[in-house]
Amino acid sequence: MNVLFINLLLALVWTFLTGSFTPNTLIEGFIVGYLVLWLASPLYGPSTYFKKFRQTISFLFFFLRELVSATLKVAYVVIKPDMDVHPGIVAIPLTVTTNTEITLLANLITLTPGTLTLDISSDRRVMYVHVMNVTDVEAFRQEIRQGFERRVGELLR
Amino acid sequence: MLVAVLSGFGLSLAAPWAVRVGRLRGWLFALLPLLLTLYFLSFTPAVMTGEAITASYNWVPSLGIQLSFYLDGLSWLFALLVSGTGIFIFIYAGAYMADEPLIGRFYAYILIFMASMLGLVLADNLLTLFIFWELTSFSSYLLIGFKHKDEAARKAALQALLITSGGGLALMAGLILLGLAGNSFEISALVAGECLTEHPFYVPTLLLILAGAFTKSAQVPFHFWLPGAMTAPSPVSAYLHSATMVKAGIYLLARFTPILGGTALWHLLLPAVGGLTMLVGAYLSLRQVDLKRILAYSTISSLGALVFLLGLDIPLAAQAAIVFLIVHSMYKGALFLIAGILEHETGTRDVTALGGLARIMPLVALAAGFAALSMAGIPPFFGFVSKELLYETTLGLQDNAILFTTLAVIANMMMVAVAVLVFVRPFTGQLVETPQQPHAVPLGLWLGPLALGLGSLAAGLVLAQVGAILIAPAVSAVVARPTAVKLALWHGVNPMLILSILTVLGGLVVYRYRHSYRRISNRLDMGRQWGPAKWYEFGLEAMLSLGRLQTRVLQHGYLRIYLLTINLVFFVLVGLTLVTKHDFAGQLPSTDLRVHEAVIAAIIAVAMIVVLFARSRLAAVVSLGVVGYGIALIFVFFGAPDLAMTQFAIETLTVILMVLILYRLPPFATFSSRGQRIRDAVIALSVGALITTLVLVSTTVTQPTLLTSYFAENSVPAAKGRNIVNVILVDFRGLDTLGEITVLGIAALGVYALLRLRTPSQRKVDLTATVETELVAEQDKSKEVEAM
Amino acid sequence: MTIVLAFLVGGLYAGGLYMMMRRSIVKLIMGLILLSYATTLLIFTVGGLTRAAPPIVPAGVSEPPVPFADPVPQALILTAIVISFGVLAFAVVLIEQTHRSVGTDDSNNLRGIEGEL
Amino acid sequence: MILELPTIILMLGLILTVARLIRGPSLASRVVAFDLMTTIGIGLIAVYAVMTGQPVFLDIAVVLALISFLGTVAFAFYLERSKR
Amino acid sequence: MGLLLLLPLLIPFVTAALALLTWRRRRIQRALALAGSIGLLVSALVLLLVVWRGGIQVVQVGNWPAPFGITFVADLFSAIMTVLGGIIAVAVVIFSHASVDSRRERFGYYPLLLFLMMGISGSFLTGDIFNLYVWFEVMLMSSFVLVALGNERAQLEGALKYVTINLVSSAIFLTAVGVLYSVSGTLNMAQLSVQLSQSRQPELITVVAMLFLIAFGIKAALFPLFFWLPASYPVAPVAITALFAGLLTKVGVYALIRVFTLLFTQDIGFTHALLLLIGALTMVTGVLGAAAQNEFRRILSTHIISQIGYMVMGLALFTPLALAGAIFFLIHNIIVKANLFLVSGAVYQLQGSFHLKKLGGLYRSHVGLSLLFLISAMSLAGLPPLSGFWAKFLLIRASLEVNQPVIAFVALGVSLLTLFSMTKIWAEVFWKNRPETAPAPKPLSTSVRLQLLLPVAGLSCLIVGIGLLAEPIFILSSQAASQLLSPAEYVTAVLGGTP
Amino acid sequence: MKPAEKDNTIPSLILLTATRYLVPVLLLFSLFLLTRGHNEPGGGFVGGLVAGAAFALYGIAHTVHDARRLLRFPPRVLIGIGLLVAVGSGLFSLFYRRPFMTGIWSVVEVPVIGKVGTPGIFDIGVFITVLGMVLQIVFELMEE
Amino acid sequence: MIQTVISAILLTLGALLMLLAGIGILRLPDVFLRMSATSKAATLGVILIMVATAVYFNDLGVTARAMGIVIFIILTVPVSAHMIGRAAYITGVPLWPETRIDELKGRYDEETHRLEGQPAESTNVNQPG
Ligand code: NA
Ligand code: NA
């Protein structure tokens, strides 16, 4: 994470140089700094910074996309005259183990389409999720495992 | 003179210790009245020349209250009476109450009384007089209730106190009015000052002062406390309730004759009340069998006679009154002491249960004989002179002479009968078996009555001197001009003498038929059902009932009704003022309204209604939260970020608090009826409407505030803060905040104590008490042990 | 808005007082809270309303631009709501303890020593 | 002004939320409604800050965001406990 | 000098805060409480002396000139009241050492007591109407806790009423302050005095005056708003009841006198006539209520109400003498009432009850205590030359001077009924024999006896002293009254001559 | 409700974990409110409430016992200290022969906070007292 | 100017999302479904509004606050939803009858609220009606 620190430093230097201390210049500075660092990456030896950074960014975009689509789905359900939903509560065995991972996963699931984390079993092995439309339970479990759980695992390890 | 008055108070403080001297204590205490008597006697020459000795000490000069004393003939006479009788009473009490464990307190009280009585008669200042007046009532209360274990004594003491204090309060008002009318609180100045009988205050003043005098001197219809007061030990009855205290009213009337007397009202009220009292007292006296009650009623009669005399519109009346005053004090004092001896020795006061005691106690019998003779008005006893004077006065009246004379004769006949009764029954005839075996009476007991009895005789023998030395100065003081007094036993055969003889003969007849009299009068008796004593009881009971009723009505314990009352008061007071005082001419505040503001206001209103009608507590709490958040949003809209923030934070904490508390409380319940709910709703809405009006009205007159511009200008330069609200809170008005956080601290302490402090009984019952609490308690105990 | 708030304040007073006059002590709590809201809002309203101009001096100048909301009622209210919070917290716990100790939530059964007469 | 529009939309949302709050029926539903109200409130304050050009109001939104969460948690906490 | 004015506030405050840090160390807490109350008394006495010598004292807290900051003002009236607060505090603290159980002592009794005194002193000395609200709340909050401290059932029930009704009163007070600020634009009482007298809408001011009347009327227990008092006073620890009886309602009276002399004098014909009526009704209902009671503390408690009526009467008559009478009455009544409660507490320590039926025989066994009771009781009934006589005398004289015989008559009648109630206690508790069922008086250790008797004896000496030395006390009261009646003096002292 | 039963409810894992992140944020923000209060909305009071909320949250997620440990001081002591700090800041001006509570300001500016003055210290006292008060009440109620 | 337009659009969108959440909470049939609506729509709504605010003021302090709010909302909304959902389930708030499957049924310990973590094979499909 040293590189992140340097990157932030560069962003600050940039804002001082431009003389205007606004978020815009800070973001500009960060992008410029990132480019500079990327160019100068051999200087710092092997670092996961750039990979992690890209992963984070892509995770964020993934998350936002999911959030938007979740919202649209909800909008659709809500606005549609007839209430055509088939909810259910599904148990999903967990592969992630640490508390932070579990919590992050639970939160993400809540914020994404049609799902809502209700609780984690006391042995932290199973997550119970409320689903707006249950068609195939197993397929749903797979979806979660492949989608969020994988990404969370990648991001935090 | 101050020393003379205060010496009694001083000694009373020491009395509880001074009694340790043992048997001689009576003689020891009598030294003080003896010294006082000598002291007052030393003024004899001065008094005789008509000179008044004054002494004045500043007390509360800014209120015109001085400790001022004025020794003229009248006060000198009374002072001598008080201190002189005191000598014998004190000696007597020492023997009479030899085994009384609380004798020290007795002497303390009676010393207080004596000092107060001296202060009363010597005072020149109206307020000083009043203070001593009240002190006599108070010491009388303690003395009447001296046998405090006895419920009758306690009741009688209370009765006497309430009656005399009630009169005292009237007297106080009267004296204040008098002082205000005469522009001075000094009696001597009032006497010398301009005439007050035309003053608009005159009538109320007179009535109030008479109320004081009449209650104290046991005039009808206030007379009934005096027989009740016979629960007091006999020395007290003799001293207070015959010789001195009851004469205070007489003193007052005599004292105020120059100021208030001489009017038609005066000449109407005093003879009427006094005459009635004279008759009623006499009538009731002979009906009694209890020796002390007989004497008490006869005292009432005599007091009536004194008031009667003081009210008669003839110069001689004052002389007759003063003479009778002295006569009565001597014989009645003696008789009361004798009654005490009889009770002490035989264990009864029932006059029908006694007889033949002259053989056992000859000296006492002698004293009783003297006193009775004086009472019956037999020459050469002093009582004879007094009775002659009485008849001479009534006969000399211009109006109503016959009527008043008849009254006097009838009353005096009864007195003769009483005199015969109190001497003949106990002392003559066969010795009667009594509850206690009578013994020879010790010196301390018989000395007093004998001295007083002899006094009655001696005064009759040295009439000229008595008239010149004792009577004349006093009469001069009453009529406020030098008056010579010439007393003699023999004036030749005149109407008075004939009346006197008639009186004695009539009295003997009455005595002879006393049993029939008692029977008939008992049959006619209405006093027991309709008399003033009944009124007193009824009044007391009515007052208590009223108190209980009022307590039930006002102090019923229902919190919601209390709140209802507050609401009603609010509605009435504020509503009436608003409606009657305010003209609603001002323009209404601006009607400028934004959508979001309206919506938030509506949401608050709706949420509040949900609170009101919610069936579930939690729904109500959530809705309360909505109200609170809504108000915070209004704060946002109108530029109060600090407020909004705080409101949000507090609201959330309130929700947490409610949530933590509520699940231990039962669900909402509706207890009240529909009618109650509607009533409450109407009242609540009325108050709400009033508040709305108030807000509307007061926003029309909003003034630009001085404070605001000052704070705005000084916040940054002087207080170095840009957030003016915060600067106000921590700097401009930081003291408010200091108080505010103190409240929070106390509240926290309170919650802690409420939750943790359990009563011992709760500890047992409360199964939920946590082990932790108990552990803490254990630790506390150990700490407590350390601390002890 | 002043008029609306005037009615709102009146309504809150009425609501609070009505709730306080219920026999259920749980409702009494609600009534107390409503009453404190009412007072708060009353001071705010009668103190004069100014839209969206907080009494904060912008950095670099020495006085706030006029018009600005009167800070005095705000400070008063702040103090008052804090105090009411403390008092209410105590009152709520008191009511709970009373309920626990006496075992009733009907204030008619809480006549206290007056009930003994 | 153009920013009146979001305010009005927010008000509509708020009214609907209040309707749920009144209707309940379960306490949980009411708490959800309350939670949503605070979220809308945060939005409203931000919109108001923009509308009036007063960024200081945003601080209120921060406090609200931080602290309202606690209220919801407390309700849930209560709900669970009241079950026993 | 500036600090002196704040010491009566700060000394209890600091000692209370320190007591919070020395929680459960009883000795230290006791010592702190004693130090705090003595400090309060001494500072108040010095303050009174300074005010007497040098006129109205003013300090602008925070050095902000009036009317912008908060002003503390000591005129004679407030200085007198503060001294009385100190006297009662010292007596009650000493009495508490012997009478308050260790349970309560361990749960903040002393810090609460000190906070209460802080609130009382603040209420007396502040010159700012909102600040007055704050100190009222400090005082009330501590009194709430003290009433409930102990968690006994009766206490909780009494406290519930006490708290609820006082909260309503506070809400009305706050409403009144809000409206007052709205129509006058200031909170400083001196400036308010100026503003209100120049108000263009005097009618509205009268409405505000009614709000204050109700708010303070509840605190002062005026008719018909007194019900909280008999419900709650007799349930607290007796030392606390003594403190409450002596001071709390009197703070309400103080506030009434303050605002109805300084602020609301525009419509005397209406407001003060109303006060007179209320005063009379308060007197009568209080004394009748007391007559109906059969329990030592409840008689005394209900009786407080009646005495408040006299003070209001003095205010309502609104002459120099009447106000002097009201102040004299306050001085007298605070001491006497507190002392009577202390006596009842001592009796309770001896015989374990407050019920007249279960008491008796103390006249024989405890003559000192009996005498001390008698002094206070007779002073309350107005027996000359004790303190109560002068108070009564002044008021009666004042009412007769302005031709108000009806109120004089009522006051005298009430005084007679007071005598009735006091003699009832005397007869039942002291004169009457101890009932068979009642336990024999408990033997108390010397230190306990000393701690019980010392404060009672001290206060009794004051009662006798005030009676005998009525002149200085009257001059003091009448000076204080004349200050009250000339608000200009107050205004000039606070605003520095530029109103 | 014996103590053994009382805290046996299995706490929510999600809440527990979230609390680990939320509590520091809340505490930080409370200090932010405290320090900025003189110039921006905020101040000791709101700051204290937010800080109290942080500990309360911790208490709900974990146990009151843990929350007390986290706080280190008993809340009552905090109240006492807070009151003393507040009154002490007011007494400070007496050294300068000014009336009670007169603001005394440092000459030099401290970074972040700006000029340090007794009103700021007073606000700290408010903060501590409010924190103590909130926690005293909340902890007691949660322990019941 | 562009800033103003962008922020106005974003604000309107954000507000609409909140309105959507409002519609959702009113229309959806049970508490769990309602939470689905609020947790998503409202969160996105807040995010949009905060971005709009940051854009509008273009000030570091404001942006920081806006960011703070967003992060905090993202952090807390799911937690609240979980807490309410769990509490609702435990207290027996009824599921909408159309709910097809309930794998939580019987897994909570009545006393301790301990939640069993069982393998998910034994799914019991709810038969509506
Ligand atoms: Na303040
Ligand atoms: Na602030």
Side-chain angles (χ1 to χ4, degrees), chain C residues 71-85:
Chain C
V72 180
Q74 294 189 15
L76 303 190
I77 294 171
L78 211 54
T79 306
I81 52 180
V82 173
I83 288 179
S84 335
F85 172 66

Side-chain angles (χ1 to χ4, degrees), chain B residues 356-656:
Chain B
L357 288 168
R359 265 164 273 169
I360 296 173
M361 38 187 90
L363 282 174
V364 177
L366 184 66
F370 285 180
L373 287 171
S374 183
M375 184 177 180
I378 308 296
F381 288 87
F382 200 16
F384 170 72
V385 182
S386 147
K387 203 161 295 172
E388 297 274 283
L389 265 173
L390 169 62
Y391 293 149
E392 189 181 346
T393 309
T394 54
L395 287 172
L397 284 174
Q398 290 184 328
D399 310 316
N400 299 325
I402 307 293
L403 173 71
F404 283 173
T405 309
T406 318
L407 281 181
V409 171
I410 293 173
N412 274 309
M413 280 180 185
M414 307 292 282
M415 289 301 104
V416 171
V418 169
V420 176
L421 178 68
V422 297
F423 173 72
V424 171
R425 282 296 313 187
F427 290 102
T428 61
Q430 286 290 316
L431 191 63
V432 178
E433 191 71 15
T434 51
Q436 278 171 39
Q437 194 62 36
H439 296 289
V441 178
L443 166 71
L445 286 183
W446 60 253
L447 181 68
L450 192 63
L452 290 169
L454 283 172
S456 298
L457 177 64
L461 298 176
V462 288
L463 269 181
Q465 289 79 351
V466 168
I469 298 170
L470 278 179
I471 315 289
V475 173
S476 310
V478 175
V479 300
R481 74 187 115 78
T483 311
V485 172
K486 291 201 179 78
L487 298 178
L489 279 175
W490 185 249
H491 296 281
V493 177
N494 54 13
M496 286 79 85
L497 184 66
I498 296 165
L499 283 176
S500 281
I501 295 166
L502 262 178
T503 306
V504 173
L505 292 176
L508 291 172
V509 172
V510 174
Y511 176 74
R512 173 72 184 77
Y513 293 103
R514 64 182 187 280
H515 298 298
S516 342
Y517 171 82
R518 234 176 250 150
R519 238 188 348 267
I520 294 166
S521 68
N522 275 341
R523 201 170 300 156
L524 293 174
D525 186 15
M526 303 205 301
R528 227 168 269 169
Q529 271 143 27
W530 304 107
K534 275 283 159 196
W535 306 349
Y536 165 84
E537 272 169 32
F538 174 76
L540 213 55
E541 201 40 60
M543 187 270 292
L544 290 176
S545 307
L546 190 61
R548 280 190 291 265
L549 176 74
Q550 174 214 297
T551 305
R552 271 198 302 279
V553 172
L554 292 176
Q555 196 67 48
H556 38 65
Y558 297 110
L559 176 60
R560 67 206 165 81
I561 310 286
Y562 292 161
L563 294 169
L564 191 85
T565 316
I566 294 179
N567 284 335
L568 281 176
V569 171
F570 185 97
F571 183 70
V572 169
L573 283 186
V574 179
L576 274 184
T577 337
L578 202 56
V579 171
T580 57
K581 303 260 169 188
H582 189 76
D583 59 330
F584 294 87
Q587 67 190 53
L588 279 179
S590 86
T591 48
D592 178 20
L593 181 64
R594 307 278 161 86
V595 177
H596 53 275
E597 294 165 359
V599 171
I600 296 298
I603 288 177
I604 294 175
V606 168
M608 186 198 76
I609 291 168
V610 174
V611 175
L612 297 187
F613 298 104
R615 295 269 167 80
S616 115
R617 297 163 298 174
L618 259 295
V621 171
V622 177
S623 308
L624 269 180
V626 174
V627 176
Y629 276 23
I631 289 173
L633 282 176
I634 289 178
F635 292 153
V636 176
F637 296 153
F638 292 95
D642 283 275
L643 265 184
M645 244 180 213
T646 313
Q647 176 71 26
F648 278 127
I650 286 209
E651 198 45 56
T652 308
L653 278 171
T654 309
V655 164
I656 294 174

Side-chain angles (χ1 to χ4, degrees), chain G residues 2-14:
Chain G
I2 293 174
Q3 277 177 339
T4 314
V5 172
I6 292 172
S7 64
I9 293 168
L10 288 175
L11 286 178
T12 313
L13 277 176

Side-chain angles (χ1 to χ4, degrees), chain F residues 1-143:
Chain F
M1 256 208 305
K2 281 183 183 164
E5 289 173 31
K6 203 174 60 178
D7 290 319
N8 64 346
T9 319
I10 303 297
S12 153
L13 175 73
I14 293 175
L15 182 62
L16 272 173
T17 316
T19 306
R20 275 181 54 203
Y21 296 93
L22 293 177
V23 168
V25 174
L26 280 165
L27 286 176
L28 185 77
F29 190 68
S30 74
L31 290 175
F32 172 79
L33 285 171
L34 169 67
T35 51
R36 286 310 183 85
H38 213 48
N39 293 314
E40 305 286 339
F45 188 76
V46 182
L49 286 181
V50 172
F55 285 100
L57 177 64
Y58 195 84
I60 290 177
H62 297 76
T63 60
V64 180
H65 185 70
D66 293 340
R68 281 190 196 276
R69 271 218 327 250
L70 187 69
L71 185 64
R72 288 189 188 82
F73 295 99
R76 185 195 59 253
V77 171
L78 284 183
I79 296 172
I81 293 174
L83 292 177
L84 285 176
V85 168
V87 77
S89 78
L91 291 170
F92 195 71
S93 57
L94 298 175
F95 294 116
Y96 294 80
R97 304 195 161 276
R98 300 275 166 74
F100 181 63
M101 286 195 105
T102 305
I104 305 293
W105 294 88
S106 71
V107 187
V108 284
E109 290 214 11
V110 176
V112 185
I113 303 169
K115 279 194 174 172
V116 178
T118 49
I121 299 171
F122 180 78
D123 226 9
I124 294 172
V126 174
F127 180 93
I128 299 173
T129 313
V130 171
L131 176 61
M133 177 265 184
V134 168
L135 293 182
Q136 175 99 53
I137 293 177
V138 170
F139 286 173
E140 282 304 322
L141 282 174
M142 293 203 320
E143 261 175 12

